[in-house]
Amino acid sequence: SAVISQKPSRDICQRGTSLTIQCQVDSQVTMMFWYRQQPGQSLTLIATANQGSEATYESGFVIDKFPISRPNLTFSTLTVSNMSPEDSSIYLCSVVAGEGTDTQYFGPGTRLTVL
Amino acid sequence: SQELEQSPQSLIVQEGKNLTINCTSSKTLYGLYWYKQKYGEGLIFLMMLQKGGEEKSHEKITAKLDEKKQQSSLHITASQPSHAGIYLCGAPGGTSYGKLTFGQGTILTVHP
């Protein structure tokens, strides 16, 4: 299994500001994803973070609002831009560890509150 | 698109009791994940099922995928307060490789 860490674990931000969330994995992984979990809701995929190229976004999510970087096979960032209270959620990164397995592991999450 | 429906939405049991959570898909499942989430935290991987009729166990938790691959159940034997949390089923599918669609979750409370 992969060990995943996220920073920050939680934050309280003001409307109109941006926050960058980091996801670090202890081993090289083939795929990394970013999910959002709004209060009382289940998880929704935001995008697939592609190493060395632009992320692939799901319907309803755009790069200007959620820019993603993945400079290598162990690290990715998600930025939540121009935040509003509706962006208050838990943001989770997940990974598929490698060849021969489809098991998807999740990080501990970043709890974001926007005032 | 695939939809997963979990039942019950919430469950309150006395410590030591057995319980079952169900996850039903609108389409054939090509894999089914079970995760546990503590409130406000990340997801802990429990088990993944892929074959019809498959059953896996870990400690006191057993998960099954039916032969038709449209329903899965998660059974906890002799529940403990440490089992409390939100249980989520997730399934791959859709247009994005690796994307998981999740059920709405089942909130489990275990009273000592």
Side-chain angles (χ1 to χ4, degrees):
Chain A
S1 65
V3 177
I4 306 166
S5 60
Q6 285 185 232
K7 290 182 181 179
S9 58
R10 58 178 60 212
D11 207 341
I12 300 173
C13 300
Q14 294 298 319
R15 181 195 299 262
T17 62
S18 298
L19 176 72
T20 296
I21 303 167
Q22 298 179 2
C23 177
Q24 179 75 55
V25 192
D26 68 338
S27 58
Q28 292 185 346
V29 295
T30 55
M31 303 194 75
M32 296 182 77
F33 306 92
W34 287 97
Y35 285 82
R36 179 176 74 179
Q37 186 178 31
Q38 294 177 298
Q41 305 284 322
S42 193
L43 282 77
T44 301
L45 180 67
I46 298 172
T48 302
N50 300 311
Q51 193 259 327
S53 64
E54 194 171 285
T56 304
Y57 290 84
E58 296 297 304
S59 175
F61 297 96
V62 295
I63 187 170
D64 289 345
K65 176 67 176 177
F66 298 102
I68 289 170
S69 78
R70 189 180 173 192
N72 55 52
L73 294 177
T74 64
F75 185 79
S76 178
T77 66
L78 168 75
T79 299
V80 186
S81 302
N82 188 24
M83 289 184 285
S84 67
E86 292 70 36
D87 294 318
S88 298
S89 298
I90 299 173
Y91 292 86
L92 301 108
C93 70
S94 71
V95 305
V96 174
E99 299 295 331
T101 176
D102 291 329
T103 302
Q104 196 163 139
Y105 298 97
F106 284 79
T110 295
R111 191 179 189 89
L112 171 62
T113 301
V114 184
L115 302 177
Chain B
S1 62
Q2 184 166 46
E3 292 184 0
L4 297 177
E5 185 167 331
Q6 287 185 233
S7 62
Q9 290 188 345
S10 64
L11 195 53
I12 302 173
V13 300
Q14 205 68 32
E15 182 177 2
K17 295 295 185 183
N18 302 335
L19 62 103
T20 299
I21 298 168
N22 294 303
C23 177
T24 302
S25 172
S26 58
K27 297 182 179 181
T28 299
L29 292 163
Y30 293 99
L32 192 285
Y33 294 79
W34 283 102
Y35 293 91
K36 177 185 174 184
Q37 183 180 31
K38 289 285 192 181
Y39 178 74
E41 299 181 5
L43 276 64
I44 300 168
F45 171 74
L46 297 176
M47 277 169 278
M48 182 179 71
L49 305 166
Q50 287 185 301
K51 300 175 183 177
E54 186 175 9
E55 179 176 320
K56 289 187 178 179
S57 294
H58 177 67
E59 297 180 344
K60 294 185 178 180
I61 301 176
T62 300
K64 300 178 185 179
L65 181 61
D66 74 341
E67 290 286 349
K68 293 184 178 179
K69 296 175 65 175
Q70 283 196 287
Q71 186 171 46
S72 178
S73 61
L74 186 82
H75 184 77
I76 298 177
T77 303
S79 59
Q80 301 170 354
S82 60
H83 287 126
I86 302 170
Y87 289 82
L88 292 153
C89 63
T95 57
S96 302
Y97 177 77
K99 173 183 178 179
L100 294 182
T101 300
F102 286 88
Q104 77 275 31
T106 295
I107 302 171
L108 173 63
T109 304
V110 181
H111 286 311

